[in-house]
Amino acid sequence: LKIKAETEFARAYHHGDLKNALIVTALKQIAARGPRALSLREVARATGVSHASTYRHFPNKESVLAMIAEQGFRKLSQAMRDAAERERDVRKILHRVGVAYVEFGVSHPHHLQVMFGDFIASQEAYPSLVEAGKEAYELLAYAVRAGQQAGRIQSEEPQLIELAAWSQVHGLALLIASGQIPADGIGPLKRAELVSGVLTLLQEGLSVKPKPSEQRRRGTRFAPKKP
Amino acid sequence: LKIKAETEFARAYHHGDLKNALIVTALKQIAARGPRALSLREVARATGVSHASTYRHFPNKESVLAMIAEQGFRKLSQAMRDAAERERDVRKILHRVGVAYVEFGVSHPHHLQVMFGDFIASQEAYPSLVEAGKEAYELLAYAVRAGQQAGRIQSEEPQLIELAAWSQVHGLALLIASGQIPADGIGPLKRAELVSGVLTLLQEGLSVKPKPSEQRRRGTRFAPKKP
DNA sequence: ACCTGAACACCGTTCAAGT
DNA sequence: ACCTGAACACCGTTCAAGT
């Protein structure tokens, strides 16, 4: 039914529509069977077009995956942006953005693989992919800054703070997306509780400590040495 | 030179030596060009044996990768065990073990990909792989428990604490191993400082808070509801 | 028991030729 | 301009046949 409709439609492809149609088909196949099983010939077949026509729109398979990775970063960015905007309590933005990151991975595990699974030899060959990745990172950094401005998160060594937040959220997303952790939770803890709990622990780690007098040289331990 | 020696040696393979030789060659190829580029035919060629002989020792390509992943988990476990034993201050074991995890990823990024990159459709088909993965996880959990026994890490919701630690360390390792973060550091911060800094922030998050009176319902927020 | 060569059904990529 | 069929050099996997 659906396949027949797609095939008939194929007769009308022109002005670069085919490029888009190929991406849509590839995305479906990746969602269904993972990026490692992706075959350009199969994509062309399902799109109702000869396998050689792909090369009129993409130089090679890697560039198809690069475009899909780029779209993934844009979707992830959108999800984080929505999460940040929907949260009115500025102290909780990082929490919400972190949840959005992890939930993106849970909903689109195969897409996450394309984004981080080393399918692209060097990202520098795809400037718009790099830009999309940076945008996603910036949204996370923004969430950290929101916490800092609310006086909740330490402001020293901002790059370190951002990296800690990114690692935490990224690791959790990948562990769940790769099935290393059951997607429905561990024991009595449901997934949402795990995610919320881990993010809360993160935030405690990044938080401004109430009694600086009790802290031993905090913030200087990893600072670059100065004469 | 070396290749010639290997080829001559091939004439003598028997009693299952070939199985091992194939794994060794595959490991070299993965280290050199990544697991996605691995070809069984090329491995057989480099081992000096016909491509069909592989199937006398492995049912398919996936099982080769499963065995390599298993070896990876064993090496990772060994690295964490060494780190734990070398640290005499029990309060710092988690820190050392975390560093070992990340450094393993930095040293063997392609091996880490085989372990976590979804090359094996379902791990359950390889019981010894599952067991090796559990062993690695247990070593991390052990490091958490060491911190708890030293009175440094919260003891409520142990599964949540372990997961937070695992996510943190795993995310950082993958970000560096996949080149998302430059392996030599960000700006003025060298890699060792980044890793140490992130792990310190983690430990602050997991730490026992000094004034329970200031904590609002800590430890109950994510506990399962009881009637 | 262990290894081999030939064969099958796939790939990604290229290119001359068609509309 | 855009698409196609045939061709090339690879795969993973199987199997009858060799020692």
Side-chain angles (χ1 to χ4, degrees):
Chain A
L1 323 140
K2 204 173 180 184
I3 295 189
K4 199 189 162 196
E6 279 173 324
T7 310
E8 282 170 13
F9 206 71
R11 303 236 164 276
Y13 286 138
H14 45 84
H15 343 294
D17 263 16
L18 179 53
K19 181 168 186 175
N20 230 294
L22 290 168
I23 290 285
V24 169
T25 310
L27 225 26
K28 273 185 214 159
Q29 291 195 3
I30 286 171
R33 292 167 35 217
R36 253 179 40 263
L38 186 72
S39 144
L40 288 193
R41 289 176 97 113
E42 206 176 318
V43 168
R45 219 146 41 214
T47 314
V49 99
S50 102
H51 63 266
S53 67
T54 313
Y55 290 84
R56 202 59 47 176
H57 301 279
F58 297 95
N60 51 38
K61 188 177 181 177
E62 186 184 71
S63 68
V64 175
L65 287 163
M67 178 159 250
I68 287 171
E70 183 187 330
Q71 288 194 7
F73 279 116
R74 297 206 190 285
K75 271 174 67 175
L76 172 59
S77 291
Q78 193 53 54
M80 293 196 286
R81 210 178 347 254
D82 287 353
E85 279 175 5
R86 218 166 280 154
E87 179 58 64
R88 291 139 112 201
D89 185 344
V90 73
R91 296 168 303 174
K92 291 182 186 161
I93 286 182
L94 178 57
H95 195 278
R96 282 285 233 128
V97 165
V99 170
Y101 195 115
V102 176
E103 288 300 321
F104 177 87
V106 172
S107 307
H108 313 287
H110 292 312
H111 212 150
L112 202 70
Q113 270 181 60
V114 179
M115 294 154 66
F116 293 106
D118 210 43
F119 288 85
I120 288 103
S122 101
Q123 300 219 159
E124 286 82 58
Y126 306 93
S128 59
L129 169 58
V130 171
E131 193 222 359
K134 271 194 195 140
E135 189 196 0
Y137 181 80
E138 271 311 311
L139 275 156
L140 204 80
Y142 159 75
V144 169
R145 280 198 296 275
Q148 288 171 330
Q149 280 163 21
R152 283 295 204 87
I153 291 181
Q154 308 173 211
S155 294
E156 315 91 277
E157 303 285 6
Q159 288 165 322
L160 188 58
I161 305 283
E162 285 164 17
L163 177 58
W166 192 18
S167 305
Q168 181 75 80
V169 147
H170 187 66
L172 185 54
L174 285 181
L175 286 176
I176 296 178
S178 72
Q180 219 75 23
I181 290 171
D184 52 346
I186 300 177
L189 298 171
K190 294 290 295 170
R191 186 182 72 234
E193 294 168 329
L194 288 175
V195 174
S196 244
V198 168
L199 286 168
T200 300
L201 289 168
L202 166 69
Q203 218 139 7
E204 289 179 16
L206 307 187
S207 70
V208 174
K209 299 307 174 296
K211 304 212 167 184
S213 59
E214 283 181 34
Q215 303 295 124
R216 284 161 300 193
R217 286 166 285 111
R218 178 164 59 71
T220 67
R221 209 173 318 176
F222 308 102
K225 287 169 201 154
K226 282 173 193 168
Chain B
L1 322 139
K2 203 174 183 184
I3 294 192
K4 200 188 165 197
E6 279 170 340
T7 308
E8 282 171 13
F9 206 72
R11 303 236 165 275
Y13 286 140
H14 46 83
H15 344 296
D17 263 16
L18 178 53
K19 182 168 184 172
N20 230 295
L22 289 169
I23 290 285
V24 170
T25 310
L27 225 26
K28 272 185 216 160
Q29 290 195 4
I30 286 171
R33 291 169 33 216
R36 253 178 42 263
L38 186 73
S39 145
L40 289 193
R41 290 177 98 114
E42 205 176 317
V43 168
R45 220 146 39 215
T47 314
V49 97
S50 103
H51 62 265
S53 68
T54 313
Y55 290 84
R56 201 60 47 177
H57 300 279
F58 297 95
N60 51 38
K61 187 177 180 177
E62 187 185 71
S63 67
V64 175
L65 287 163
M67 178 159 249
I68 287 170
E70 183 187 330
Q71 289 194 5
F73 279 116
R74 298 205 191 285
K75 270 174 67 176
L76 172 60
S77 291
Q78 194 53 53
M80 292 196 287
R81 211 178 346 255
D82 287 353
E85 278 174 6
R86 216 165 283 153
E87 179 59 64
R88 293 140 112 199
D89 184 343
V90 73
R91 296 168 302 175
K92 291 183 187 162
I93 286 183
L94 178 57
H95 195 278
R96 282 286 233 129
V97 166
V99 169
Y101 194 115
V102 176
E103 288 300 321
F104 177 87
V106 172
S107 306
H108 313 287
H110 291 312
H111 213 150
L112 201 72
Q113 269 181 61
V114 180
M115 294 154 66
F116 294 105
D118 211 43
F119 287 86
I120 288 103
S122 100
Q123 300 219 160
E124 286 81 58
Y126 306 93
S128 61
L129 170 57
V130 172
E131 194 221 0
K134 271 192 193 141
E135 188 196 1
Y137 180 80
E138 272 311 311
L139 274 155
L140 203 80
Y142 158 76
V144 169
R145 280 199 295 277
Q148 289 171 330
Q149 281 162 22
R152 281 298 203 85
I153 290 181
Q154 308 174 210
S155 294
E156 314 94 276
E157 305 285 6
Q159 287 164 322
L160 189 59
I161 305 282
E162 286 164 18
L163 177 58
W166 192 19
S167 306
Q168 181 74 81
V169 148
H170 187 66
L172 184 54
L174 285 180
L175 286 176
I176 297 178
S178 72
Q180 220 75 23
I181 290 172
D184 52 345
I186 300 176
L189 298 171
K190 294 289 295 168
R191 186 182 72 235
E193 293 168 329
L194 288 175
V195 174
S196 243
V198 168
L199 286 169
T200 300
L201 289 168
L202 166 68
Q203 218 139 4
E204 289 179 15
L206 307 187
S207 70
V208 173
K209 299 307 175 295
K211 305 211 166 187
S213 59
E214 282 182 34
Q215 304 294 124
R216 285 159 299 189
R217 285 165 286 112
R218 178 164 57 73
T220 67
R221 210 175 318 178
F222 308 102
K225 288 168 201 154
K226 283 175 192 167

